[in-house]
Amino acid sequence: MAEAAGSREQPAASRAPPDAPHRAEEEPEPASLDAPAAAAGRRRERRSGVSAVGAADRFPGGSLGPAAAPDPDACLLEAAKATPRRSSIIKDPSNQKCGRKKTVSFSSMPSEKKISSASDCISFMQAGCELKKVRPNSRIYNRFFTLDPDLQALRWEPSKKDLEKAKLDISAIKEIRLGKNTETFRNNGLADQISEDCALSVIHGENYESLDLVANSADVANIWVSGLRYLVSRSKQPLDLMESSHNTPRFAWLKTVFEAADVDGNGIMLEDTSVELIKKLNPTLKESKIRLKFKEIQKSKEKLTTRVTKEEFCEAFSELCTRPEVYFLLVQISKNKEYLDANDLMLFLEAEQGVTHITEEMCLDIIRRYELSQEGRLKGFLAIDGFTQYLLSPECDIFDPEHKKIVQDMTQPLSHYYINASHNTYLIEDQLRGPADINGYVRALKMSCRSIELDVCDGPDNEPIICNRNNMTSPLAFRNVIEVINKLAFFASEYPLILCLGNHCSVQQQKVVVQHMKRIFGNKLYTEAPLSSEVYLPSPEKLKMKIIVKGKKLPCDQDILEGEVTDEDEEAEISRRLSEDFSREPKLIWLCRELSDLVSLCKSVQYKDFETSMKAQNYWEMCSFSEAEASRIANEYPEDFVNYNKKFLSRVYPSAMRIDSSNLNPQDFWNCGCQIVAMNYQTPGPMMDLHTGWFLQNGGCGYVLRPSVMRDEVSYFSANTKGIVPGVSPQVLHVKIISGQNFPKPKGACAKGDVIDPYVCIEIHGIPADCTEQRTKTVQQNSDNPIFDESFEFQINLPELAMIRFVVLDDDYIGDEFIGQYTIPLECLQPGYRHIPLRSFVGDIMEHVTLFVHIAITNRSGGGKAQKRSLSVRIGKKAREYTMLRNTGLKTIDDIFKLAVHPLREATDMRENMQNAMVSVKELCGLPPIASLKQCILTLSSRLVSSDNTPSVTLCMKDAFPYLEPLGTMPDVQKKVLAAYDLMIQESRVLIETADITHDKIVQCQKAGMEFHEELHNLGTKEGLKGRKLSKAIESFAWNITVLKGQGDLLKNAKNEALENMKQIQLACLSCGLSKTGSGHTDTKSKRCLEAIQEKDTGDENGRL
């Protein structure tokens, strides 16, 4: 103790006064976040148990955030900034989270020993390790914590207290929380530097005091949380750890597996047989790793033999096949058992995975399908191996299965959809030397491509050909190509296929082209003349199973058999624009009437400017933009580009300078509303990952409906938006990267051996305000099951346009760093614990290669995508922000919009008040903002129901709202929670009962404003507005309409959310026993109230809201 006292360091903060409240002891040794723990190191030397070795060395990049970086690390960081990673596609460096330097994770346990049971956790705790103790006064102390040998108390040292007082009895512990979920953490000035995954709190005593700790890694935090929860749940039972570890369902199953393979019945098996048996049970394991494990076990027992006993087989399997992160999860959701019953699984699926309408029979069916032991299947429980199989199954895939079907409205005009498009489809190599290949069309059509290109030239024997005009060595017969197209046109999607025809043929061979197309395509060809009475293109639904030809067209008012049109040669157009004589007219070619008549809905015209297009362009005409031209327009006229694309189709093709067939970033042009962004399918990489991932949604049909703010006739949206989109509810994406499985060595790596140092990058793609990138720490020399355990948050301002790309890279690479990736639209994410199937560089799914994550999406303002579970989060402790209306400068219209100012504030206040009240309840329950209300009720019930199942509160339905009434005196802590709960119900009630009135006021203002839409120019002229001022007035008008529509929708969604919350709370209270026992009348009344809520909900959905 003297040595320890000699090594004290003073904290940066001044000492607290002697009478500081709730001070449990005189703390002798405050520790700075980055201080080396010399004393702790000496204490560890006195103990033979496992400890968190090297904690001080880990701190520069460990759980408590970065300290002053040493020079080598600084050099690494600068080098990383200077050399952009091949996988990174975030263009704006300001949006990259570069503060996180390269950090290395050292396992806190010997690599040969993994946690696979409660006894492993308890053994670790008895050996002890260093934890950081966090005090409310923002000071942090290094302490060495141990569990008593008799498992009755938790102790720490050093302390000025008597050794018998520097302890916490296990019997006094009420709860164990993982994460920063106490007032101490929330109010600590250093909380931002503490990792959420390394923090834990022990709640104890009748007043629910907290002992707040920080582990040196997430796995150590999980060990303490799991071990303490196990002890608390069994505090009144004698514990025989060895006996209990051998009596688990898993051990019993493994014994039966061994006995079935032990044909001699001697209880001993050849090592070769044991290896084969384990590989059969877990095909992902390498044989060398299994043999090494057997040698380690035999060496520890000082025996050398090639035979394996039953116990050794069970031990080897448990250590090799137990994923600690899955074990910790199982123990947490099973209430500290080592298996799940049907009720545990039901709760997990409802509260965590977001599954609705789950029944006990459905859970039993899951158990029967995934549990490996016959006993488990018969008795209805899921042990660790079956649970692991279930989490790896397609049922727990990150991609929402609903989006594997057509889920979007397919009756909108064609111009309202993004369309899966290919550039130079006939190529499978680069633009310059690549030959034409029929497989280019096969691949594109099987990937649901709905816009393909055919460059047709004159061929021999009067037969047109398709070829790369830079390489004429391997032309394709046009007839053969369209036969393949006809066969596969609707193989992957029944929605219309657009053929972009590049015509370089003579008139004679053009007629042959027409003959082949009519004969082969037949009535699939869409040749109906567009109706002048319409103003928008037909819908994909109306054009099902139709092939649409895009190309040049002769004037309809001229009765000619052939005529001259501008050349549709994109390469020539680029050359023309780059030439000095840009003003000269483009090249003209001859076009026959027969080929002209095949073009109906997609007539190619040249773009001049938006003013000309909006006045003169017909809805069936479309423009093609080179990449450079589209980029210029997007930067100079972002709002105009979006408005143009509401009515007309735009096609963007890669620059001719991309002779290597590299790809443009499609997101840049999707943000402008461009529907057809042509990609070089033959070139894999980050850009193609984005394209492929985007069109996975909506059943992979090749059509994706654009956000409403980009479709509505009167709406405001800019492609360069750098903040909140008016009328759209921002969402917060919470991603926890937990672990990886079976990472391969990078394909192009030059290093010898299979050792890799993986880390994970999370990229967000969407509008500029949403684009960002973050990375995990590096896990050193672990490809089988690297544990990351890091959490990230991303604000998404336009969820409908956002995508997430998970990239796994090797930090110590030579030649190639890429391990795998997966790209998915935000709308397709499933919440909860999910496995991500990683794809190779060329886009193929890699067998058994996965990333284990936890996903939650919190809805900051009550709107946006309807989540499978209702989640809310507080915006922060700052002044409330209101979406403001703009002054148009037109008095008549401004007077109408002024009437909406107060209803808009009311709507925002109602939503925010309800959300803040919900977050307060979650905080008092010790839960993070991403928790569901059902989880809150379950946590509350553990406090409010005594050991004899007698509740201290009862559910009382008042006007169909679920209030909780106390049944006698309650501690102040519980009173505080109930007060917060009452406030949440009251704020929800206010919103539900008054939302209709406020919503009607907003809608009335919107309708009144829209009545002036057609007269805006005339009103502006009367007010003396012209030029830029008039354009600004029209833009402000569109902004205000967008705000009114969006805020009305947000209020409607918030009311539906509140109604759903009331139903879920009532059901949770009933299932947890928080209702009067022995009273059928009460239960009947509760059911009637639930029906009333459901009727109210249904009525609202069918009525105004």
Side-chain angles (χ1 to χ4, degrees):
M1 295 295 292
E3 287 178 359
S7 65
R8 296 175 196 167
E9 292 185 21
Q10 294 296 323
S14 59
R15 287 192 173 273
D19 58 344
H22 304 297
R23 189 173 178 85
E25 59 178 287
E26 287 295 321
E27 300 285 4
E29 187 187 348
S32 64
L33 289 179
D34 54 354
R42 285 189 286 272
R43 286 194 297 279
R44 285 196 296 272
E45 292 172 1
R46 299 201 302 267
R47 301 174 184 271
S48 59
V50 180
S51 62
V53 180
D57 294 337
R58 285 198 303 279
F59 268 102
S63 60
L64 295 174
D71 290 342
D73 279 0
C75 295
L76 280 173
L77 183 59
E78 290 304 314
K81 290 178 181 177
T83 309
R85 207 176 57 250
R86 173 173 59 82
S87 62
S88 178
I89 45 184
I90 303 295
K91 293 171 65 176
D92 185 358
S94 65
N95 282 346
Q96 297 189 32
K97 308 297 183 184
C98 293
R100 184 190 296 273
K101 64 182 180 182
K102 173 182 174 180
T103 58
V104 180
S105 166
F106 297 91
S107 174
S108 53
M109 299 164 285
S111 59
E112 68 272 9
K113 180 64 179 175
K114 292 202 308 187
I115 297 296
S116 61
S117 66
S119 60
D120 291 340
C121 294
I122 290 170
S123 297
F124 180 91
M125 293 159 61
Q126 286 177 319
C129 75
E130 183 180 275
L131 300 172
K132 295 203 176 292
K133 188 176 179 182
V134 182
R135 299 290 298 170
N137 53 18
S138 294
R139 288 186 289 180
I140 296 177
Y141 303 86
N142 292 320
R143 295 290 177 264
F144 196 87
F145 281 78
T146 56
L147 177 67
D148 276 357
D150 62 1
L151 315 180
Q152 297 302 308
L154 187 64
R155 297 181 184 273
W156 57 89
E157 61 178 35
S159 173
K160 283 190 174 181
K161 279 191 168 188
D162 182 274
L163 288 178
E164 285 304 308
K165 292 184 178 178
K167 71 171 186 176
L168 177 61
D169 290 335
I170 298 298
S171 59
I173 297 176
K174 301 289 187 184
E175 299 173 13
I176 301 94
R177 300 175 185 171
L178 182 61
K180 299 182 290 187
N181 295 313
T182 63
E183 286 296 320
T184 298
F185 277 124
R186 282 191 286 269
N187 298 328
N188 192 296
L190 299 173
D192 289 343
Q193 301 178 45
I194 297 172
S195 167
E196 180 79 23
D197 307 300
C198 297
L200 65 142
S201 300
V202 182
I203 312 301
H204 59 93
E206 293 303 318
N207 292 323
Y208 282 70
E209 299 171 72
S210 66
L211 172 63
D212 299 290
L213 308 170
V214 181
N216 293 329
S217 67
D219 55 357
V220 172
N222 276 315
I223 290 171
W224 281 96
V225 169
S226 299
L228 287 173
R229 284 175 174 170
Y230 184 87
L231 290 173
V232 170
S233 68
R234 288 158 175 76
S235 59
K236 296 179 182 179
Q237 305 170 14
L239 284 175
D240 185 338
L241 291 176
M242 187 59 66
E243 182 66 24
S244 64
S245 66
H246 285 188
N247 279 340
T248 62
R250 179 195 223 178
F251 196 82
W253 166 66
L254 286 174
K255 285 194 293 185
T256 61
V257 171
F258 184 91
E259 290 164 359
D262 180 17
V263 291
D264 298 330
N266 297 325
I268 297 176
M269 189 184 294
L270 286 172
E271 183 180 298
D272 289 346
T273 308
S274 298
V275 171
E276 289 176 9
L277 187 55
I278 289 180
K279 271 195 70 66
K280 182 179 178 183
L281 295 172
N282 189 341
T284 64
L285 286 175
K286 298 173 184 173
E287 182 178 328
S288 58
K289 189 172 182 179
I290 302 173
R291 292 190 183 280
L292 180 61
K293 178 55 65 179
F294 279 128
K295 285 181 172 57
E296 289 176 0
I297 292 172
Q298 291 169 355
K299 184 180 179 181
S300 69
K301 297 181 179 179
E302 298 183 350
K303 65 180 254 192
L304 294 174
T305 178
T306 57
R307 295 183 180 272
V308 176
T309 66
K310 186 188 302 182
E311 289 71 21
E312 289 167 348
F313 172 81
C314 295
E315 183 179 350
F317 181 89
S318 296
E319 292 197 18
L320 288 168
C321 299
T322 302
R323 286 171 47 188
E325 73 279 18
V326 176
Y327 172 77
F328 293 137
L329 176 61
L330 180 138
V331 171
Q332 173 189 336
I333 63 181
S334 68
K335 304 180 182 67
N336 311 301
K337 304 188 296 292
E338 298 206 355
Y339 61 88
L340 300 176
D341 58 30
N343 287 331
D344 296 328
L345 186 57
M346 187 186 303
L347 178 60
F348 171 68
L349 294 174
E350 286 180 341
E352 198 59 68
Q353 302 294 88
V355 181
T356 56
H357 309 300
I358 193 76
T359 65
E360 184 176 359
E361 182 54 40
M362 292 166 66
C363 294
L364 289 171
D365 178 63
I366 290 172
I367 291 171
R368 285 190 289 266
R369 285 186 286 120
Y370 292 101
E371 173 55 30
L372 300 180
S373 71
Q374 185 176 1
E375 180 189 10
R377 292 193 295 269
L378 291 173
K379 294 183 177 179
F381 63 74
L382 197 62
I384 178 67
D385 300 292
F387 185 53
T388 304
Q389 292 296 317
Y390 172 65
L391 289 176
L392 283 165
S393 74
E395 293 182 55
C396 290
D397 191 87
I398 193 170
F399 194 92
D400 187 344
E402 285 297 309
H403 287 271
K404 293 182 179 180
K405 302 177 290 188
I406 306 294
V407 293
Q408 296 176 349
D409 178 10
M410 301 303 289
T411 63
Q412 300 272 333
L414 206 61
S415 59
H416 288 182
Y417 297 85
Y418 296 113
I419 302 173
N420 191 342
S422 162
H423 176 244
N424 287 354
T425 315
Y426 48 85
L427 291 180
I428 59 170
E429 294 179 24
D430 63 66
Q431 309 283 334
L432 197 59
R433 297 178 301 275
D437 194 307
I438 196 72
N439 289 314
Y441 291 98
V442 173
R443 175 185 53 202
L445 291 171
K446 286 188 174 181
M447 292 176 66
S448 297
C449 185
R450 298 290 84 195
S451 173
I452 58 177
E453 297 184 10
L454 300 95
D455 279 343
V456 191
C457 302
D458 281 353
D461 303 323
N462 201 35
E463 279 293 334
I465 59 171
I466 289 178
C467 62
N468 181 355
R469 283 174 296 134
N470 297 314
N471 179 3
M472 304 286 286
T473 57
S474 58
L476 302 173
F478 175 77
R479 178 184 59 211
N480 294 342
V481 170
I482 64 172
E483 282 176 349
V484 170
I485 292 173
N486 183 59
K487 181 179 178 181
L488 297 175
F490 305 106
F491 172 84
S493 172
E494 60 185 357
Y495 290 100
L497 174 66
I498 300 172
L499 303 184
C500 298
L501 197 63
N503 173 28
H504 313 291
C505 293
S506 62
V507 169
Q508 182 180 0
Q509 293 208 12
Q510 287 177 31
K511 293 179 180 179
V512 178
V513 166
V514 174
Q515 291 170 8
H516 286 326
M517 292 179 77
K518 286 185 174 181
R519 178 179 58 84
I520 293 172
F521 292 147
N523 59 9
K524 293 178 186 173
L525 268 180
Y526 187 90
T527 57
E528 295 178 21
L531 299 174
S532 57
S533 58
E534 299 288 340
V535 292
Y536 283 102
L537 289 164
S539 70
E541 186 68 29
K542 186 175 180 181
L543 295 170
K544 264 185 181 179
M545 308 298 288
K546 291 297 181 182
I547 294 175
I548 301 169
V549 178
K550 170 199 168 288
K552 290 292 180 176
K553 195 168 176 65
L554 294 173
C556 296
D557 55 356
Q558 296 180 19
D559 187 16
I560 55 176
L561 296 178
E562 56 189 56
E564 286 187 318
V565 294
T566 54
D567 191 1
E568 185 75 353
D569 188 337
E570 292 168 0
E571 286 76 9
E573 175 70 8
I574 292 287
S575 302
R576 185 180 73 83
R577 287 178 177 271
L578 291 177
S579 68
E580 295 180 3
D581 189 16
F582 176 70
S583 59
R584 66 183 175 86
E585 289 299 315
K587 176 184 172 185
L588 298 177
I589 61 169
W590 283 91
L591 177 67
C592 72
R593 172 62 66 182
E594 291 89 340
L595 185 56
S596 172
D597 288 345
L598 291 186
V599 177
S600 171
L601 294 179
C602 293
K603 175 187 174 182
S604 294
V605 296
Q606 284 193 319
Y607 167 80
K608 183 179 179 182
D609 56 59
F610 286 129
E611 184 178 358
T612 302
S613 295
M614 298 302 280
K615 288 180 180 178
Q617 187 171 330
N618 296 306
Y619 71 85
W620 60 83
E621 296 173 337
M622 63 177 288
C623 297
S624 291
F625 300 86
S626 69
E627 177 185 348
E629 185 179 26
S631 296
R632 177 186 63 79
I633 296 171
N635 287 325
E636 294 179 6
Y637 311 103
E639 298 91 347
D640 292 337
F641 212 171
V642 172
N643 286 330
Y644 171 83
N645 286 321
K646 291 176 183 178
K647 184 175 181 181
F648 306 110
L649 285 176
S650 291
R651 175 175 165 272
V652 179
Y653 56 90
S655 167
M657 307 302 289
R658 295 183 181 272
I659 58 174
D660 59 349
S661 292
S662 59
N663 274 307
L664 48 75
N665 187 342
Q667 190 79 52
D668 294 341
F669 306 105
W670 291 336
N671 289 346
C672 301
C674 296
Q675 301 88 349
I676 303 175
V677 181
M679 302 293 288
N680 290 311
Y681 267 56
Q682 71 272 30
T683 308
M687 305 308 166
M688 198 61 201
D689 293 341
L690 285 182
H691 182 269
T692 304
W694 181 248
F695 286 103
L696 288 175
Q697 60 185 312
N698 199 30
C701 72
Y703 285 82
V704 174
L705 189 64
R706 294 185 312 183
S708 61
V709 73
M710 300 173 75
R711 305 191 315 263
D712 293 340
E713 183 181 0
V714 181
S715 62
Y716 175 85
F717 177 76
S718 170
N720 292 339
T721 296
K722 296 234 173 103
I724 293 176
V725 178
V728 177
S729 171
Q731 294 180 346
V732 179
L733 171 66
H734 306 259
V735 179
K736 181 176 183 179
I737 305 294
I738 303 173
S739 64
Q741 290 74 47
N742 310 305
F743 289 164
K745 180 182 175 181
K747 288 277 186 186
C750 304
K752 296 179 180 178
D754 293 326
V755 175
I756 60 172
D757 296 345
Y759 67 99
V760 182
C761 275
I762 309 162
E763 301 169 348
I764 307 295
H765 299 271
I767 61 173
D770 294 341
C771 291
T772 186
E773 176 183 65
Q774 294 198 46
R775 59 158 289 177
T776 68
K777 65 194 174 191
T778 298
V779 177
Q780 198 175 57
Q781 299 185 9
N782 190 338
S783 60
D784 296 331
N785 190 34
I787 305 293
F788 300 100
D789 262 328
E790 287 193 71
S791 298
F792 305 90
E793 287 186 5
F794 304 93
Q795 177 170 313
I796 312 294
N797 292 287
L798 187 54
E800 290 175 278
L801 264 188
M803 273 193 293
I804 302 92
R805 184 170 182 260
F806 299 90
V807 195
V808 183
L809 302 161
D810 183 1
D811 211 353
D812 191 23
Y813 69 97
I814 300 176
D816 186 16
E817 61 178 337
F818 181 86
I819 295 171
Q821 69 84 30
Y822 186 81
T823 307
I824 181 172
L826 181 76
E827 297 283 292
C828 298
L829 284 175
Q830 286 210 94
Y833 290 91
R834 305 289 171 183
H835 278 93
I836 299 174
L838 294 180
R839 294 178 179 266
S840 67
F841 185 70
V842 296
D844 297 328
I845 293 288
M846 297 185 286
E847 189 176 19
H848 304 307
V849 181
T850 55
L851 197 61
F852 188 41
V853 301
H854 181 268
I855 300 290
I857 300 176
T858 57
N859 194 329
R860 286 186 30 168
S861 301
K865 175 191 175 186
Q867 297 299 313
K868 288 188 176 177
R869 58 178 180 166
S870 181
L871 297 169
S872 298
V873 62
R874 183 157 49 192
I875 288 179
K877 297 178 180 178
K878 60 182 181 181
R880 184 166 292 173
E881 297 177 358
Y882 298 94
T883 305
M884 304 302 293
L885 296 175
R886 293 179 177 178
N887 194 338
T888 65
L890 304 173
K891 186 177 184 306
T892 306
I893 295 175
D894 286 337
D895 287 344
I896 292 172
F897 287 140
K898 283 177 184 178
L899 298 175
V901 172
H902 184 65
L904 287 175
R905 290 181 68 92
E906 281 184 342
T908 301
D909 287 340
M910 284 190 286
R911 296 198 319 271
E912 296 288 333
N913 290 344
M914 182 186 75
Q915 291 155 17
N916 291 345
M918 289 172 65
V919 172
S920 294
V921 171
K922 293 173 185 179
E923 288 179 350
L924 290 171
C925 289
L927 296 172
I930 64 173
S932 67
L933 286 178
K934 182 157 191 174
Q935 289 170 313
C936 288
I937 298 300
L938 291 170
T939 302
L940 273 178
S941 68
S942 65
R943 301 180 189 179
L944 301 175
V945 178
S946 63
S947 57
D948 61 352
N949 290 326
T950 303
S952 57
V953 299
T954 184
L955 175 67
C956 180
M957 299 301 297
K958 297 179 181 177
D959 301 323
F961 289 93
Y963 289 89
L964 292 176
E965 290 190 350
L967 298 174
T969 57
M970 300 184 70
D972 289 343
V973 174
Q974 310 297 22
K975 288 180 181 178
K976 187 176 180 181
V977 176
L978 283 184
Y981 175 88
D982 284 344
L983 180 61
M984 177 184 70
I985 299 298
Q986 190 58 36
E987 294 294 353
S988 300
R989 182 171 185 167
V990 169
L991 189 148
I992 290 170
E993 293 179 346
T994 60
D996 284 347
I997 299 171
T998 305
H999 181 266
D1000 284 347
K1001 292 178 181 177
I1002 294 173
V1003 170
Q1004 286 169 8
C1005 290
Q1006 179 192 348
K1007 289 180 178 178
M1010 283 298 294
E1011 290 179 1
F1012 290 92
H1013 170 52
E1014 303 292 339
E1015 301 296 323
L1016 277 178
H1017 280 85
N1018 293 336
L1019 286 173
T1021 304
K1022 289 180 181 178
E1023 296 279 351
L1025 301 180
K1026 57 184 178 180
R1028 179 61 188 155
K1029 288 186 177 180
L1030 181 58
S1031 298
K1032 193 68 178 175
I1034 294 171
E1035 179 184 299
S1036 296
F1037 177 85
W1039 168 281
N1040 292 346
I1041 293 296
T1042 305
V1043 168
L1044 291 172
K1045 181 182 183 301
Q1047 293 298 315
D1049 290 343
L1050 294 182
L1051 183 59
K1052 174 176 66 176
N1053 293 337
K1055 179 186 174 182
N1056 291 336
E1057 179 184 0
L1059 285 165
E1060 181 62 27
N1061 289 341
M1062 297 303 101
K1063 288 193 289 186
Q1064 293 304 319
I1065 289 172
Q1066 185 185 357
L1067 289 171
C1069 287
L1070 292 171
S1071 63
C1072 294
L1074 296 181
S1075 59
K1076 291 180 181 177
T1077 57
S1079 172
H1081 171 72
T1082 302
D1083 289 341
T1084 303
K1085 182 178 179 182
S1086 296
K1087 289 177 182 176
R1088 284 202 305 268
C1089 290
L1090 181 59
E1091 290 169 0
I1093 294 177
Q1094 290 169 338
E1095 288 174 6
K1096 193 175 197 177
D1097 193 5
T1098 305
D1100 288 329
E1101 289 175 356
N1102 295 334
R1104 285 188 302 254
L1105 294 185

